[in-house]
Amino acid sequence: MISFVWAEDADKIIGQNGSLPWKLPNDMKRFKDLTTGNTIVMGRRTYESFPNGPLPNRRNIVISRNNEYQVKSPAELINSKEELSKVTKSDEDIMVIGGKTIFQMFLDDVDILYVTKIHHEFVGDTKMVDIDYNKFKLTEKKEGTMDEKNIYPYTFETYKKIN
Ligand SMILES: NC(=O)c1ccc[n+]([C@@H]2O[C@H](COP(=O)([O-])OP(=O)(O)OC[C@H]3O[C@@H](n4cnc5c(N)ncnc54)[C@H](OP(=O)(O)O)[C@@H]3O)[C@@H](O)[C@H]2O)c1
């Protein structure tokens, strides 16, 4: 099973200058809850956006064309999508966490979408890929709670592929 996990703004912006355009701790918590104990797959630029290297308590797989690129242990480096199926089990749940180029790579394979929609417009240089939502069914929708640390309105949504 392949899932996408991401957050986007009202204009589908996901990144700015190699990092997230916003601070939304409640979304970070959802991301942690969804991905902990699972396998996360990310592009080299997204990996470099993590200040402390691999995220703990998850299998971190980083994709780069550069086979000499050094990832910090216990992260693992692969050089292509094809290599992913060699290093993972067929029943392993794979959570693709971005960025844009890696979402594009798995667009035809994704089964579940976990998206946080932030109802605000940010300045950004990276947008989410176009997803054909006609191929998916909304299975969960939850309004986010706002407080002094979570100042933007947002919604957590889950979609499952229609077979
Ligand atoms: N809002 C969110 O949920 C979210 C999630 C993730 C990321 N982001 C943001 O998105 C931005 C990064 O996204 P991005 O699209 O620029 O970069 P990315 O997808 O994270 O990484 C791109 C890199 O992946 C490698 N790659 C791409 N296609 C490949 C292929 N076919 N074969 C092998 N390697 C390949 C290349 O690495 P090499 O150059 O090393 O070859 C490429 O430079 C950042 O601002 C980040 O914070 C946001």
Side-chain angles (χ1 to χ4, degrees):
M1 190 90 86
I2 295 188
S3 312
F4 283 1
V5 187
W6 82 100
E8 64 180 32
D9 86 345
D11 200 24
K12 301 195 190 304
I13 289 285
I14 63 166
Q16 164 70 352
N17 254 335
S19 58
L20 297 176
W22 49 76
K23 279 207 171 71
L24 195 58
N26 285 353
D27 179 53
M28 304 286 268
K29 184 182 181 313
R30 170 169 146 111
F31 178 85
K32 186 177 173 192
D33 291 346
L34 284 169
T35 58
T36 295
N38 290 314
T39 298
I40 54 174
V41 175
M42 71 203 89
R44 191 260 308 160
R45 283 190 215 134
T46 295
Y47 171 71
E48 287 184 355
S49 75
F50 300 155
N52 303 313
L55 300 182
N57 307 318
R58 281 149 275 197
R59 183 178 182 193
N60 287 240
I61 299 179
V62 181
I63 310 186
S64 166
R65 290 189 181 86
N66 176 2
N67 54 18
E68 286 171 13
Y69 184 73
Q70 298 288 320
V71 291
K72 203 168 139 189
S73 174
E76 300 157 59
L77 181 75
I78 60 171
N79 301 122
S80 67
K81 181 182 174 184
E82 293 64 39
E83 213 179 320
L84 184 66
S85 43
K86 292 185 193 145
V87 300
T88 53
K89 298 191 190 85
S90 56
D91 63 348
E92 194 164 330
D93 282 335
I94 311 268
M95 307 195 102
V96 175
I97 62 160
K100 181 189 183 120
T101 67
I102 305 304
F103 289 131
Q104 188 66 53
M105 188 183 276
F106 290 95
L107 191 54
D108 291 336
D109 310 292
V110 66
D111 305 293
I112 306 181
L113 310 172
Y114 296 104
V115 54
T116 302
K117 293 192 173 168
I118 305 174
H119 310 298
H120 188 88
E121 284 188 24
F122 295 85
V123 174
D125 56 26
T126 312
K127 269 197 178 187
M128 186 55 183
V129 294
D130 284 330
I131 291 180
D132 181 358
Y133 282 93
N134 292 322
K135 294 182 177 162
F136 293 87
K137 180 177 179 251
L138 179 70
T139 57
E140 203 185 336
K141 183 169 176 169
K142 192 166 174 268
E143 294 306 315
T145 49
M146 292 171 67
D147 54 34
E148 69 283 354
K149 287 191 173 144
N150 296 273
I151 59 171
Y152 309 108
Y154 60 97
T155 312
F156 294 137
E157 295 181 8
T158 305
Y159 293 82
K160 299 219 163 117
K161 186 91 164 264
I162 301 163
N163 290 310

